[in-house]
Every structure is written in structure tokens, then in C-alpha cells.
Amino acid sequence: MTTLPSPGPEGIAESGTGGYDRGQALHLQRQVAEGFGTDAGRYDRARPTYPADLVDRIIAASPGRDVLDVGCGTGISARLFQAAGCRVLGVDPDPRMAELARQGGTETEVATFEDWDPAGRTFDAVIAAQAWHWVDPVAGAAKAAAVLRPRGRLAVFWNAFDPPEELRAAFGEAFRRVLPDSPSGGFWARPAIDAYRAGCARAADVIRQSGAFAEPEEWLSYWRRPYTRDEWLDLVPTTGGFTRHPEAIQAELLDGLGAAVDAAGGTFAMSYTTIAATAARLGP
């Protein structure tokens, strides 16, 4: 059985090599991306949000407030932009996720971004929250340029999370014990921000090479979120590939992760860095 890398959030850092490596062809691993919809309610409940300062910065750098949310999932990021006064259209390949996004008030169409038909519609911003690594990078940049108005903004971003040092070591040990042949343990060997920044830089390179955008920029936002043991264990199964492990492996991993949090007092504060690659579409 092939052991899937987890639980780094999706492919950009799971491999331990920095992600967004076209040689890994993460955008072809649709079976992992499509697994999120098996428990869309948990995904919507447990997944972390995104910082308000990044939302505000993207809006301020865009020519208007019409936003396309690529891989919108259950609408976590879309709702933030809507609350800030934007009109948001979501696109997601999973009908289960899309339905939950609609229930939350986000108009959503079911398609991969590469195959989605904009039907002549254009936007002031194209965003992708924790989703751009599932999109073919070259086709995605070209599609974003095609649907953006002149000077419209493409912003693709990810949450990198880092627990306290002692917990990071304990989480890594739990994965190495249960999945000794998996790269999962290596994910915890160093701060996640290192892998995510490398992955984000690769995303920026593809955007740059498209020739349709001004020089990409890296934007960083720092924030923290407290977790109880139960909240953390609610989040872990929503990470890419986790539910593709046999149920006994999932249970053993969750037991090990829960024991680590118990040993740390039952709660901890996660340090988040939201990392964005962003660029303005060229044009008059």
C-alpha cells in the first residue's frame, strides 16, 4: 500500500520537500482533494480561518470587489470576503463541499478551475485559500489572467502552522511510530513555515513565467489560535490524505496525537503564518 503524506495541510508541505514541485504533479492527485468532501461538516467546523489583515490587504490592492474563490471548499475564505463587502463566486470540484458553501451563503459552481466556464464573467480578484496546489499551475495562472480585469489581483495563500517545540517533536514521534516509512514524521522535523515559503515561492515563479502579471510579492500574516485536545483531533482528519489511511491507523495516530496534547496539559497555542503569493494582472 502506498503511504500518503500527512497531516501537513494538503500537498504544499506534506512531502517535506517544500511542495509545489511540478514533478510531484500534486494537481493530479484529485483523489486526495476529493476526499475532503467525505465529511464536509467537519471540514467547515474544524479548519482554521484566515487573518482579517490579509483579506483587507487583498481587497485594498484590487480594483473592485468582485471576487472569484478557486477551490472554495465549504466557503471558509469566501465568507470572510463577503463580510468585508465583496461579491464572491466560488468554484469547487466537489459537489458536497459546494453545497455546504451555498448553504453558508456563497454562490458556488461545481468544476475544477481548469475546466470551469466563466461564461464571459470577469473579476477584480481571484483568490485560492489552501487550494492552489490542486490546480495545474500553468493552466491556473493562465485561467486567472483570462478572468481578471486589468490590474485585477491574483492571491493564492496557505496557512502554515507551528505548535510549540515540544509538541512538534511529540507529533512527529507519533507519526514515525505509526507510519515509520512515511515522510509524515519529517513534516514535523522543522518549522512548517520553511516548507510553505518554499512552496509559495514556486507558485510565484509559475505566476511570473506566465507573463500576464506584474512581479509577484510574498505577503505574510502572523496570528495564533488556542486548541484544546478535542479541537486539535477534530482538525487532523481534515488534512490531505489522512482519511485514506486504514481506520485502525487513523485511530492509532489520533491516540498518539491526543496523548501528546494531554502530556502538554490538554491545551496549546498554535502559531500560524498565512503566506500569500500575489500579483496584479498586467493591462491598462
Side-chain angles (χ1 to χ4, degrees):
M1 183 185 73
T2 300
T3 301
L4 291 168
S6 60
E10 290 71 70
I12 195 167
E14 287 175 339
S15 66
T17 62
Y20 221 86
D21 182 343
R22 294 197 65 208
Q24 295 172 350
L26 284 167
H27 65 278
L28 298 179
Q29 297 183 16
R30 295 293 187 190
Q31 70 274 23
V32 178
E34 291 166 1
F36 297 132
T38 58
D39 193 347
R42 180 199 291 266
Y43 187 99
D44 194 61
R45 176 181 69 243
R47 277 295 181 115
T49 186
Y50 301 94
D53 67 306
L54 177 63
V55 173
D56 292 343
R57 192 174 182 184
I58 292 170
I59 294 171
S62 302
R65 292 182 176 243
D66 290 328
V67 175
L68 177 68
D69 190 349
V70 175
C72 68
T74 60
I76 295 172
S77 53
R79 292 193 295 268
L80 298 174
F81 281 83
Q82 288 171 310
C86 294
R87 296 170 294 277
V88 182
L89 174 65
V91 176
D92 198 273
D94 192 318
R96 299 162 297 184
M97 303 284 273
E99 179 56 30
L100 203 56
R102 293 188 195 105
Q103 291 175 18
T106 300
E107 180 185 353
T108 306
E109 298 178 4
V110 177
T112 63
F113 184 49
E114 299 94 323
D115 295 334
W116 172 70
D117 180 7
R121 291 167 292 183
T122 58
F123 302 86
D124 299 301
V126 172
I127 65 168
Q130 213 81 18
W132 195 247
H133 49 278
W134 303 120
V135 175
D136 177 280
V138 174
K143 190 69 163 279
V147 301
L148 278 169
R149 294 165 185 156
R151 300 182 302 281
R153 180 154 297 271
L154 173 61
V156 300
F157 48 94
W158 293 266
N159 281 329
F161 59 69
D162 281 307
E165 187 71 29
E166 66 277 8
L167 266 180
R168 186 165 70 233
F171 291 161
E173 176 56 31
F175 272 87
R176 285 189 294 271
R177 183 174 63 252
V178 179
L179 296 170
D181 297 325
S182 168
S184 303
F187 172 81
W188 301 102
R190 66 189 189 281
I193 187 175
D194 296 344
Y196 273 83
R197 290 190 77 178
C200 203
R202 290 184 176 93
D205 282 343
V206 180
I207 294 169
R208 181 183 296 112
Q209 291 164 15
S210 74
F213 294 90
E215 179 62 20
E217 302 174 37
E218 178 190 75
W219 292 353
L220 302 175
S221 296
Y222 302 95
W223 53 288
R224 289 166 65 85
R225 185 208 191 279
Y227 280 94
T228 63
R229 177 187 189 276
D230 289 346
E231 287 170 337
W232 172 239
L233 297 186
D234 199 28
L235 168 64
V236 170
T238 74
T239 56
F242 188 90
T243 57
R244 293 181 63 80
H245 293 303
E247 289 186 5
I249 294 295
Q250 295 179 44
E252 191 173 356
L253 286 169
L254 291 174
D255 285 346
L257 297 173
V261 178
D262 288 340
T267 63
F268 67 98
M270 187 74 80
S271 295
Y272 279 97
T273 305
T274 304
I275 306 169
T278 181
R281 178 186 176 277
L282 295 173

